[in-house]
Amino acid sequence: MRRRLAPALALFVAALLPAHALAQAEGRPSTAPEGALDAPAPTERSDISPTVRRLLDSEFIDEESARRLRLFHGLWTTEDLQSPGAMATVALRRGLLDHPALQDELTPTLVRAEAKVLRGELPEALALLDGDGSVRAAALRAEALFLAGRLQEAEAETARLLRDTPRRALTDDAGAIAAFARAMTLRLNFFGPGSAEAGVASDFQALMRLLARGRDEVDRLDWTVRLAEAELLFSKRQFSEAADALNEVIRLNPGLARAWYLAGRMRVEGFDFAGATQIAARLDALASEVPGAARRTSVYADLLLARTMLRQGDWRAGLEALRPTLARYPKMREALAVEAALVASSFAFADAEALLSAFDARSPGSPMALYEAGRELAFGRQYEEAADLLERANALLPTWADPVLELGLLEMQSGRDDRARLWLRRAVRMDPFNRRAENSFRVIEELASYNTLESDHFIVRYKPGIDALLAREMIEEAERIHERVAGDGPGGIDHTPPRKTTVELMPDHEWFSVRITGMPAIHTMAAATGPVIAMESPRGGARQSVGFYDWARVLQHEYAHTVTLSRTRNRIPHWFTEAAAVHLEDRPMPPEWIGLLASAYREGRLFDLDKINLGFIRPERPADRSLAYAQGAWMYRFIIDAWGDRAPLELMDQYAKGRSEREAVREVLGVEVHEFMKLFMIRAREDLQSWGVLPQEGQPDAGELLGSFVKESYGGGPDPLRLRILLAEHPDHTGLLRAVAVSRSDGNRLDDQARELWERLATLMPHDPEPRRRLVRHARASGEDEVAIEHLEWLDEREQHSPAYAAELARRYAELEQFGDALAKANRAATIAPFDASTREFAATIALRAGEHRHAERHLVALGEIEPGREIHKRRLEAVRRLIEESSSAPQTERDSG
């Protein structure tokens, strides 16, 4: 009789990591829409490889062979775990490293030794392995020596294995091939030739061929080969191929914790934190099914959660997640390295150095903890401290490419391109199969070909060609932006960064997304890494992500990030730098944010200060990122109104000192964070009521009032007469006003009563665009220019992607012969659509009518670059330049009288 198999454990098979997350982690372009990184993991599946199923179900297999197969493929039953060796093997593969069976002397030596290596009990592991000449023992010995910091001995062990392994062992033994490949991966990554690109390539390619032979020819059902392949590919950041290999591993052994952990690591690298958290839960579930353990939680789950929190900047949660593993396995080198990284990311650098020293005492000469801490500090924009740690790691092991790559990326993000090029060129030579190194070096070489313009506070870099016209306009506008953002006026940051800010104008979204890869926000068209701002050129076409946009507003937003990051030494909370940047755009809150905030308030979904940062980097709902932007800007405005213009700056200075948000709020605002949130919620209700999106006290909800009338339809809607009766009882009820206004509006032209209703709505709901649009359509139909202008101005002030409102305003002002206003709006239209020929031609025409020949010249020069084949642009430009020359040469009295 067949025994019942253990519950199926595969969480997903078809896709271990979303394609866009893979792309981002590898440094390739991503086309993921906003929110795509938050997609849930695929549905849990119960299937394993059909070949394994058929083999287990075969009537020709004996019971002992079936038992061994069930153990190997993770489909064991409780009856299969009677021997200490079987129980220990299952515990090891499920991540229960302190299971009693792993201490039992009846357990095979290699199983006990591997557990000791993972726990960090390295001398004991080496003692167990002494005298064992097998390939697996040699691979474990090399790993133990490396973790112990005995680097020369580890290299010698891999060299001996490379020299002495019998060819036959790598011909017909899949397990030996996998063990050999793991040892050679260690050698290739840490001790490989390094100085000879051909040698490195040869070693990698030979290793991949060996693994392919083990996978395809020796034993198609041996998951150890596929796991070794996945680990090699992961180390080269070839995540797409690594995910394919892991898919096969999990089909062959759905309960293998190391495979799930590696999949979770890729999720973290791709900023798919929800997916990583799901995998951590799966890892704990795997561990919980192992009988006989005192604590049934997985070491891999703890490590994965700690890494997830570390990458999100939540070092407290990361340390909390890691604490059980540190208590159970106090010598585990990976856990100790991650702990050092977490403490370093809290800006407690002295404490981090103490942990690094303790790590060095355990593993003298090991660069692992230095690398982990340095890499995370670089991610947190602590560039100087990160460079110090990474350079120390490089000095300990100069043949390891990863610290070299991270130093190149660090210099690239901090705007020191010459140094970045040196590090990245070295990284590519050391490890030409590392995809991140290859892509990053390609970007830095591309940037070296760009032209530059320079002003007092900015350097604008652009690809030669059409982007030159925008770069010329951008460098001038940037200085105005500096005065506003860095100045000491209302809302200004009152701080000038110590060096010029580099603005890199990338020609399309592909180059932009590769340029800022590694940053969590590539769902947009611009990003600041501190002293560098990368922006996608605002052109139309398939290669652009957003087409036209108000680049001046975006640049002002991104420069606010640069200045706030500089003032706080890059230690500002995520929500606070975003809030300051939105505030300094000097634009009203987007209308769509108002409805979002109202819904969140009514449903109790507004963030508190502990969770708002997660809205940016780990949104649980599709709208959470937009909500975090909106609420952050709202709270920033509240702080200014309640505590004054200097309060945000004083908070920034506290962050610069490494103070936590709780400490900073207590020091500057004089309240605890929970008290701040209570005060803000009072303000929030008042604002929402004043914006007309929340009923006043005692005012019934529109839905309740209208509900009884909807059933009695009149022309498909509520009875207009009854609506007017209700409105007479509740004259300022915005829901009723809208319902009555809609019922009386038929076409663009409004009667007097409908117009009055929409005007009242525009007053009562100052952030709602619909009344304005209705009134604009009426004014157009009625020829009421002044009415149209008022509402068009409102709409244009909130528009970010279309030049239409600005262009229409320019036309109407020109018709009224208000040429100064007309030119300002024509110039704004050209700012939003700088490469659109018709918009430029229109702006040049308005400039000529306004007598502003210099503005006309600027737009005509741009037209000549946009449409170089049209002679009329050249003739017009020549004519305008003659006018400028005549004006310049005219006597002063003549110019004055003109």
Side-chain angles (χ1 to χ4, degrees):
M1 183 178 68
R2 290 284 174 197
R3 296 170 184 168
R4 186 171 59 85
L5 299 178
L9 299 170
L11 179 61
F12 45 49
V13 173
L16 283 171
L17 195 64
H20 53 270
L22 288 168
Q24 190 170 1
E26 293 172 357
R28 296 186 282 111
S30 167
T31 56
E34 182 171 355
L37 288 177
D38 317 310
T43 306
E44 183 173 341
R45 297 181 63 181
S46 60
D47 56 330
I48 192 170
S49 166
T51 305
V52 174
R53 285 283 185 191
R54 285 195 299 269
L55 189 57
L56 285 169
D57 292 338
S58 171
E59 61 185 41
F60 300 107
I61 190 171
D62 62 81
E63 185 57 32
E64 179 57 24
S65 297
R67 186 188 69 82
R68 288 198 300 269
L69 275 174
R70 288 194 295 270
L71 283 171
F72 185 73
H73 293 288
L75 300 174
W76 43 267
T77 67
T78 304
E79 292 88 342
D80 292 330
L81 306 181
Q82 299 306 308
S83 71
M87 182 69 78
T89 299
V90 166
L92 180 65
R93 290 174 183 168
R94 294 293 182 91
L96 277 173
L97 305 183
D98 53 358
H99 194 285
L102 287 167
Q103 306 289 350
D104 195 313
E105 292 191 2
L106 295 176
T107 293
T109 299
L110 289 177
V111 175
R112 287 187 286 141
E114 184 174 350
K116 288 183 181 296
V117 171
L118 292 171
R119 291 196 299 264
E121 299 164 5
L122 305 177
E124 297 86 343
L126 290 168
L128 279 176
L129 295 167
D130 189 34
D132 190 332
S134 68
V135 175
R136 185 179 175 192
L140 285 172
R141 210 161 24 241
E143 185 177 353
L145 290 166
F146 179 79
L147 290 173
R150 296 159 62 176
L151 304 183
Q152 290 183 341
E153 294 175 75
E155 182 180 12
E157 184 67 25
T158 61
R160 186 199 64 74
L161 186 62
L162 182 62
R163 182 185 66 246
D164 297 342
T165 300
R167 181 177 297 274
R168 180 179 177 182
L170 302 181
T171 302
D172 58 7
D173 186 341
I177 290 173
F180 179 85
R182 289 192 70 198
M184 292 306 105
T185 296
L186 187 148
R187 178 178 178 81
L188 180 61
N189 288 338
F190 298 105
F191 309 117
S195 60
E197 183 173 332
V200 179
S202 175
D203 284 352
F204 176 79
Q205 291 170 338
L207 200 49
M208 288 298 292
R209 285 195 299 269
L210 174 65
L211 288 164
R213 186 167 69 248
R215 176 191 70 222
D216 299 332
E217 299 175 18
V218 178
D219 189 346
R220 290 180 176 273
L221 300 183
D222 193 310
W223 52 261
T224 64
V225 175
R226 289 296 261 164
L227 181 60
E229 181 182 9
E231 290 172 337
L232 172 60
L233 292 165
F234 176 84
S235 73
K236 303 301 179 189
R237 298 188 73 88
Q238 296 189 23
F239 289 167
S240 299
E241 296 86 345
D244 291 340
L246 286 173
N247 283 330
E248 289 303 310
V249 174
I250 290 176
R251 283 174 62 84
L252 294 170
N253 187 342
L256 192 64
R258 269 173 54 194
W260 285 108
Y261 178 55
L262 195 60
R265 291 283 306 274
M266 288 196 291
R267 291 265 182 174
V268 174
E269 292 298 309
F271 306 107
D272 181 13
F273 303 122
T277 303
Q278 286 180 328
I279 291 176
R282 173 56 55 185
L283 284 163
D284 271 339
L286 290 172
S288 70
E289 293 182 351
V290 180
R295 296 184 63 182
R296 297 185 182 181
T297 55
S298 170
V299 60
Y300 295 112
D302 292 349
L303 286 168
L304 182 56
L305 283 174
R307 288 186 178 278
T308 301
M309 299 305 164
L310 175 60
R311 184 51 57 91
Q312 294 177 80
D314 192 348
W315 60 270
R316 287 186 180 86
L319 286 173
E320 185 66 26
L322 195 60
R323 184 173 290 114
T325 284
L326 290 171
R328 294 164 71 182
Y329 313 114
K331 300 177 183 179
M332 178 180 280
R333 298 310 194 268
E334 182 179 359
L336 293 170
V338 172
E339 180 190 25
L342 283 161
V343 173
S345 70
S346 75
F347 314 127
F349 297 127
D351 293 341
E353 280 293 343
L355 290 174
L356 292 170
S357 296
F359 189 96
D360 188 63
R362 288 187 183 276
S363 297
S366 171
M368 300 303 296
L370 288 166
Y371 170 74
E372 290 279 3
R375 183 171 186 258
E376 292 306 323
L377 283 177
F379 182 79
R381 299 189 179 101
Q382 301 300 295
Y383 297 128
E384 292 183 12
E385 294 84 356
D388 173 63
L389 297 184
L390 291 168
E391 287 175 3
R392 285 158 60 185
N394 175 245
L396 289 173
L397 190 54
T399 52
W400 185 20
D402 283 8
V404 176
L405 170 59
E406 292 298 332
L407 281 162
L409 295 172
L410 176 156
E411 299 293 358
M412 191 174 172
Q413 300 294 358
S414 61
R416 295 186 287 256
D417 286 355
D418 290 342
R419 293 165 68 175
R421 189 175 297 106
L422 292 173
W423 285 115
L424 289 172
R425 180 181 292 114
R426 182 178 162 194
V428 170
R429 287 174 176 170
M430 293 172 70
D431 193 354
F433 287 92
N434 187 303
R435 193 158 289 164
R436 181 93 182 273
E438 175 192 356
N439 288 333
S440 298
F441 186 63
R442 184 166 63 94
V443 170
I444 205 70
E445 289 290 274
E446 166 76 6
L447 291 172
S449 70
Y450 282 21
N451 292 339
T452 62
L453 295 174
E454 194 163 345
S455 64
D456 291 343
H457 300 96
F458 294 90
I459 299 170
V460 175
R461 307 174 69 178
Y462 61 94
K463 189 177 181 68
I466 191 67
D467 283 337
L469 72 90
L470 180 56
R472 292 192 301 268
E473 297 178 350
M474 186 174 285
I475 196 73
E476 183 175 342
E477 179 68 10
E479 287 300 326
R480 181 203 65 78
I481 288 172
H482 168 78
E483 292 299 320
R484 169 67 185 104
V485 173
D488 60 359
I493 306 303
D494 195 13
H495 172 82
T496 296
R499 59 190 178 100
K500 293 183 179 182
T501 299
T502 298
V503 181
E504 294 174 349
L505 188 57
M506 309 308 290
D508 53 45
H509 188 68
E510 177 179 347
W511 277 111
F512 167 73
S513 61
V514 173
R515 173 63 182 89
I516 64 163
T517 187
M519 306 300 293
I522 60 175
H523 54 272
T524 183
M525 79 293 282
T529 65
V532 176
I533 296 170
M535 298 178 65
E536 179 182 332
S537 186
R539 288 187 247 154
R543 296 176 64 85
Q544 313 303 126
S545 66
V546 293
F548 298 152
Y549 66 88
D550 185 349
W551 61 261
R553 177 176 180 174
V554 170
L555 180 58
Q556 189 155 323
H557 178 106
E558 298 302 332
Y559 187 58
H561 285 314
T562 295
V563 178
T564 56
L565 287 166
S566 175
R567 179 164 181 147
T568 62
R569 301 174 64 191
N570 295 325
R571 297 173 183 179
I572 188 170
H574 194 145
W575 81 267
F576 204 67
T577 185
E578 293 294 354
V582 171
H583 183 76
L584 279 163
E585 289 178 22
D586 293 330
R587 293 290 189 277
M589 186 176 286
E592 60 270 20
W593 283 8
I594 304 297
L596 190 63
L597 292 169
S599 296
Y601 178 89
R602 286 193 298 266
E603 297 167 14
R605 291 190 292 105
L606 289 176
F607 299 109
D608 59 31
L609 289 184
D610 292 328
K611 293 183 179 179
I612 189 169
N613 289 319
L614 298 183
F616 292 101
I617 57 179
R618 195 180 68 185
E620 295 179 358
R621 300 176 180 84
D624 275 1
R625 186 176 283 114
S626 295
L627 177 60
Y629 273 105
Q631 186 184 332
W634 201 11
M635 292 195 296
Y636 195 90
R637 179 76 258 177
F638 170 59
I639 290 171
I640 290 176
D641 291 345
W643 286 275
D645 270 341
R646 300 294 300 181
L649 307 186
E650 292 171 12
L651 285 168
M652 292 179 198
D653 292 340
Q654 292 294 312
Y655 300 140
K657 297 174 184 177
R659 302 281 174 80
S660 70
E661 189 148 51
R662 292 178 180 277
E663 293 169 332
V665 168
R666 184 185 305 120
E667 176 70 22
V668 175
L669 306 185
V671 295
E672 299 296 333
V673 292
H674 70 276
E675 295 172 317
F676 169 82
M677 287 306 302
K678 286 182 179 178
L679 293 171
F680 170 70
M681 293 301 286
I682 295 172
R683 165 65 177 269
R685 183 172 186 83
E686 293 172 352
D687 282 350
L688 292 172
Q689 289 176 337
S690 70
W691 297 339
V693 291
L694 194 70
Q696 298 286 340
E697 296 294 337
Q699 190 178 63
D701 183 81
E704 297 174 2
L705 286 172
L706 295 171
S708 61
F709 293 104
V710 172
K711 295 179 182 178
E712 302 179 23
S713 62
Y714 178 85
D719 183 337
L721 177 60
R722 297 197 178 196
L723 283 177
R724 289 196 291 275
I725 293 172
L726 276 176
L727 187 58
E729 297 174 2
H730 307 279
D732 291 332
H733 197 297
T734 55
L736 289 175
L737 268 172
R738 184 185 300 276
V740 175
V742 168
S743 73
R744 292 195 61 87
S745 302
D746 183 17
N748 291 333
R749 189 184 290 270
L750 304 173
D751 62 28
D752 290 344
Q753 188 172 3
R755 175 178 174 174
E756 181 185 351
L757 291 169
W758 286 115
E759 287 175 344
R760 285 175 64 193
L761 269 173
T763 301
L764 291 171
M765 303 187 73
H767 292 278
D768 188 351
E770 181 58 23
R772 310 283 180 168
R773 294 192 184 111
R774 293 273 191 168
L775 291 167
V776 164
R777 290 199 293 269
H778 168 75
R780 286 170 177 161
S782 306
E784 300 176 6
D785 281 342
E786 292 186 4
V787 173
I789 284 173
E790 174 191 351
H791 298 300
L792 283 168
E793 285 281 9
W794 188 98
L795 292 166
D796 182 50
E797 192 176 19
R798 290 155 178 80
E799 181 55 53
Q800 300 186 53
H801 294 283
S802 171
Y805 291 133
E808 183 172 351
L809 280 164
R811 281 191 291 270
R812 289 180 180 273
Y813 280 128
E815 290 168 0
L816 296 172
E817 297 187 353
Q818 298 177 20
F819 291 115
D821 293 331
L823 180 59
K825 289 300 176 180
N827 285 340
R828 170 163 161 73
T831 296
I832 296 175
F835 301 102
D836 182 68
S838 61
T839 302
R840 287 286 187 175
E841 191 164 13
F842 172 72
T845 300
I846 294 294
L848 286 171
R849 293 185 66 187
E852 295 289 347
H853 298 149
R854 290 292 184 187
H855 284 280
E857 179 187 32
R858 173 168 67 88
H859 293 304
L860 287 169
V861 168
L863 268 171
E865 296 176 47
I866 296 167
E867 297 180 333
R870 295 193 64 190
E871 287 296 321
I872 191 171
H873 298 325
K874 296 179 183 179
R875 293 197 298 271
R876 287 172 175 170
L877 180 59
E878 291 170 358
V880 166
R881 284 177 170 168
R882 283 196 298 271
L883 289 172
I884 293 172
E885 185 177 351
E886 291 170 4
S887 176
S888 299
S889 61
Q892 182 66 46
T893 55
E894 182 181 331
R895 293 202 300 271
D896 289 345
S897 63

